[in-house]
Amino acid sequence: RPAEAASLTSEPPAPARPPVEEFRLVGALSRRYLLLEGAEGLVMLDQRAAHQRILFERLQRGVGGGAVASQRLLAPEVFELSPREHEAVAENLGVLAEAGFGVEIFGGRSLKVEALPDFLAGREPRRVLEDFAAECLSGTARARGAGADDAVRRAVARLAVEEGGARDEREQRALVTQLLSCELPYCDPDG
């Protein structure tokens, strides 16, 4: 009966991801939600949460694996952060580099940003790093190591979805397809 004992202690399998074909796009609601029809009825998809999940998992796969593409800035940006923010960024330069950032200490509390992850092209580097630092500093313990990996993924995912939802049906279908290819398509990075 060892096989029975092993099956009792092992974790249950994750719910199977439904194929994209099981959902019919009905339309958009307030540029924030997509309405889909599935086998179990109407599904309301929060586009912002879906985009966060997609980017979170993309960064999760990339951090440590070097698969996150960077976009070099036309001109490097140099700016100062508060002492605590600067320390949080300085302690996690390796994590940021793995996530597609080109950041270096530039004397005092100054940072020089030369590249951002490709999907953040056009974003304000200072704001991106302030959000990362805030994520690292939130909670009871400072983020380091695995906690810093998680902080960068969450900060970047939040920043990447500020501009609104998918604009046309092609973008909406692409979002649904990408979401359903995620390991955990049923919730945003915060659960």
Side-chain angles (χ1 to χ4, degrees):
R1 302 223 171 198
E4 279 182 26
S7 67
L8 293 175
T9 60
S10 64
E11 292 184 31
R17 291 187 301 257
V20 176
E21 300 82 35
E22 286 189 20
F23 292 98
R24 182 179 72 82
L25 181 62
V26 175
L29 178 64
S30 302
R31 286 203 61 199
R32 169 102 191 244
Y33 301 98
L34 292 181
L35 301 176
L36 306 166
E37 183 179 24
E40 295 181 18
L42 181 67
V43 176
M44 186 183 238
L45 174 70
D46 183 331
Q47 293 186 71
R48 183 173 296 144
H51 200 190
Q52 285 180 340
R53 169 51 63 183
I54 292 163
L55 294 176
F56 181 80
E57 288 195 15
R58 180 177 173 189
L59 281 169
Q60 194 165 9
R61 286 188 301 269
V63 171
V68 178
S70 290
Q71 176 71 45
R72 294 194 65 76
L73 302 178
L74 291 175
E77 289 200 29
V78 178
F79 52 86
E80 285 190 9
L81 295 178
S82 74
R84 291 185 72 219
E85 291 172 332
H86 184 271
E87 183 181 351
V89 171
E91 289 176 351
N92 295 296
L93 289 176
V95 171
L96 288 165
E98 289 178 359
F101 288 83
V103 180
E104 61 184 68
I105 305 300
F106 201 66
R109 292 190 334 242
S110 296
L111 299 170
K112 180 167 82 170
V113 180
E114 295 180 332
L116 292 174
D118 64 345
F119 52 85
L120 289 179
R123 294 290 183 169
E124 184 182 335
R126 177 188 193 105
R127 175 133 184 254
V128 173
L129 291 177
E130 285 173 342
D131 284 358
F132 168 72
E135 192 70 38
C136 285
L137 296 168
S138 68
T140 56
R142 305 255 333 213
R144 290 191 176 95
D149 290 348
D150 192 49
V152 74
R153 287 189 294 269
R154 289 182 192 283
V156 169
R158 283 192 184 94
L159 273 171
V161 295
E162 290 177 344
E163 64 275 345
R167 290 160 190 48
D168 61 29
E169 187 175 335
R170 182 187 54 77
E171 287 181 4
Q172 293 167 351
R173 289 186 189 285
L175 181 70
V176 172
T177 300
Q178 291 173 14
L179 179 64
L180 292 177
S181 68
C182 288
E183 286 184 40
L184 187 59
Y186 302 108
C187 64
D188 70 3
D190 292 324

